[in-house]
Amino acid sequence: MARAGTAAFRHLRRRWPQAQRLCVVCGSGNNGGDGLVLARLAKAAGLAVSVHLVGHGPRAGSEAAAALADWQAADGRVEPLPSRLPAADVYVDAVFGIGLKRAPEGAAAEAVARLADVAPVLALDVPSGVDADTGACPGVAVRAVETVSFIVRKRGLYTGRARDHVGELYLEDLDLPAALLASEKPSAWLRGEAVALPPRRPDSHKGDHGRVLVIGGAPGFAGAARMAGEAALRTGAGLVTVATHPTHAAMLNVGRWELMVRGVESGGALREAVAAADVIAIGPGLSTQAWGRELWQAALAATCPLVVDADALNLLAASPYRRDAWVLTPHPGEAGRLLGLPTQAVQADRFAAAGRLADRYGGATVLKGAGTLVRVGDDVELCGAGNPGMASAGMGDILTGVIAGLIAQGLAVEEAARAGVCLHAAAGDRAARDGERGLLATDLLPWLRRLANGIGA
């Protein structure tokens, strides 16, 4: 607790070096004790500090009780929670740590609500009101500018609603020996950056880098299939064919002549292309009408891996099917349809939803959203990259093409899903350097090429 409070105070002074007035709101548990240590150090450094204690105070004999005694021995006062927090340069949230599974209640709910109305807030370990395991906010929650988390990373802070509340996130391991955690299996793995693909052999030819078949593009939706195909090319696939509706086949590759385009009237017209493909990406702009359903059935008959997105996922939800050699890439709404759940239930526990999808449908599941999850069997990988600018049309089509392009080049389905998600997210972060608002899906394309080659990191 002493190390946690000391580390948190160090972060406070780094971020707000001019702060003179500090307001610390403490719960009755260990998180509150961390806040009391910080308050004592801040007072010793000459800051004006007000401490507000929630509830009945720490349990007698606990570390938090010792921290309270140290604060009072330093002539620190403890005040009840006011109807409105006093003016301060920085507010410290030390109400809840880990373990919150339901909406805050009573005095704790009032404290969280008071902190939710002020800024800036430094949260200790977890912003109060956020579930550290799921990232959900079952009730009111603090929106921190910065969160200093302790000992280990909490998976929920990297996904879902938590991303709106954590602010900048820092980890302090408190110098605990690594051996203490050596026998513990992480509940999720965090990946934050793209990994470059290995150099190509000097004597390689296009056939060595795989054949991708993109199926999609019903009338009015040609762009989705085009973006998926171009993303596969920019990721390094050797040959990309787009099978699309005949009404716009002639114009789909205008400006991207490297795409091979075939107009197909029915699933029967796909046999040759399906047989030649190393991987099929199906769904972008597919529609769930008769034409789309026929093409979906033709893709299901293929022996090569599939990457399944958009309307292909909706068709799968209507007629569930299990397969090992595929990647499903639902957003929360599509995941809800696949599981027969409302979107809110998916977002309430994204980790559980991804697990149910993997159990039901097999293969690799990519649950898109803030903090995208990749579930393969019992293993979960969480992508820490990405930004709100990527909440725009076509981003999922680009991701579908990226994953398909990686499979075409020889990556296993599972690794292509993991690597593709972070390659896509990292490209989005690079493209957002010009601003998140107005970011287009196609803005990622040049960055996909650079990052796949280890350039421009």
Side-chain angles (χ1 to χ4, degrees):
M1 187 172 291
R3 294 178 188 175
T6 300
F9 181 59
R10 184 172 64 250
H11 280 271
L12 187 149
R13 295 304 275 168
R14 172 193 51 77
R15 184 164 194 122
W16 295 282
Q18 305 303 319
Q20 294 297 318
R21 297 173 301 169
L22 194 63
C23 175
V24 185
V25 183
C26 298
S28 297
N30 288 340
N31 196 246
D34 298 338
L36 288 164
V37 172
L38 182 151
R40 177 172 54 80
L41 295 172
K43 187 174 188 296
L47 277 68
V49 184
S50 64
V51 169
H52 305 275
L53 193 59
V54 182
H56 300 294
R59 177 176 51 82
S62 66
E63 287 186 78
L68 176 58
D70 289 343
W71 165 248
Q72 292 172 326
D75 294 326
R77 294 175 52 198
V78 176
E79 304 174 37
L81 186 72
S83 59
R84 184 173 182 178
L85 294 177
D89 299 317
V90 183
Y91 297 85
V92 177
D93 166 24
V95 180
F96 287 113
I98 59 175
L100 179 74
K101 297 297 180 187
R102 62 180 186 275
E105 299 174 351
E110 293 179 15
V112 175
R114 304 284 188 279
L115 284 164
D117 282 339
V118 296
V121 176
L122 171 68
L124 305 191
D125 208 18
V126 179
S128 293
V130 174
D131 186 323
D133 286 331
T134 67
C137 301
V140 65
V142 171
R143 182 169 274 108
V145 170
E146 184 172 312
T147 298
V148 182
S149 201
F150 304 126
I151 302 178
V152 295
R153 301 183 189 277
K154 284 75 179 176
R155 68 181 192 177
L157 300 188
Y158 295 87
T159 193
R161 286 278 307 282
R163 293 281 288 261
D164 288 337
H165 293 267
V166 169
E168 291 188 33
L169 180 57
Y170 295 89
L171 175 68
E172 290 285 344
D173 64 11
L174 306 186
D175 297 324
L176 294 183
L180 289 178
L181 299 173
S183 62
E184 298 289 336
K185 180 184 177 182
S187 61
W189 298 91
L190 180 66
R191 186 194 293 227
E193 265 302 343
V195 176
L197 299 177
R200 291 181 168 181
R201 295 195 326 270
D203 67 339
S204 64
H205 59 84
K206 60 188 178 184
D208 292 333
H209 307 300
R211 295 170 171 81
V212 176
L213 173 62
V214 177
I215 303 175
F221 298 97
R226 156 75 180 263
M227 286 187 285
E230 190 164 354
L233 284 173
R234 288 298 188 189
T235 307
L239 293 158
V240 178
T241 299
V242 178
T244 191
H245 199 276
T247 55
H248 51 242
M251 51 74 63
L252 192 140
N253 69 340
V254 173
R256 182 50 59 224
W257 310 108
E258 297 85 353
L259 288 172
M260 295 178 288
V261 181
R262 298 181 59 170
V264 292
E265 292 278 5
S266 65
L270 274 176
R271 290 193 187 95
E272 181 182 338
V274 166
D278 295 313
V279 58
I280 295 172
I282 182 164
L286 183 67
S287 88
T288 57
Q289 302 304 310
W291 179 81
R293 292 197 300 271
E294 275 200 48
L295 271 57
W296 168 239
Q297 291 301 319
L300 281 180
T303 57
C304 66
L306 307 182
V307 182
V308 185
D309 187 33
D311 278 329
L313 292 168
N314 294 326
L315 291 168
L316 177 61
S319 298
Y321 183 86
R322 183 181 173 86
R323 201 174 197 266
D324 290 330
W326 64 5
V327 181
L328 308 184
T329 63
H331 59 55
E334 292 160 344
R337 288 189 282 276
L338 288 164
L339 294 173
L341 297 172
T343 303
Q344 295 89 334
V346 172
Q347 291 294 79
D349 192 339
R350 289 168 53 80
F351 294 93
R356 291 179 64 181
L357 287 166
D359 291 343
R360 182 174 299 185
Y361 294 98
T365 295
V366 173
L367 180 55
K368 297 184 290 196
T372 293
L373 306 180
V374 182
R375 178 75 183 244
V376 180
D378 293 331
D379 291 330
V380 184
E381 186 163 295
L382 194 159
C383 181
N387 64 82
M390 298 175 72
S392 64
M395 288 291 175
D397 305 316
I398 296 289
L399 176 61
T400 296
V402 168
I403 296 173
L406 294 177
I407 294 173
Q409 293 173 83
L411 271 69
V413 165
E414 298 82 1
E415 183 52 30
R418 297 183 183 111
V421 163
C422 272
L423 175 58
H424 176 261
D429 285 342
R430 302 308 191 279
R433 289 172 179 171
D434 292 330
E436 292 177 355
R437 198 178 304 277
L439 180 65
L440 302 182
T442 50
D443 292 336
L444 275 60
L445 293 171
W447 285 106
L448 290 173
R449 180 185 178 190
R450 293 171 193 163
L451 292 170
N453 286 284
I455 300 169

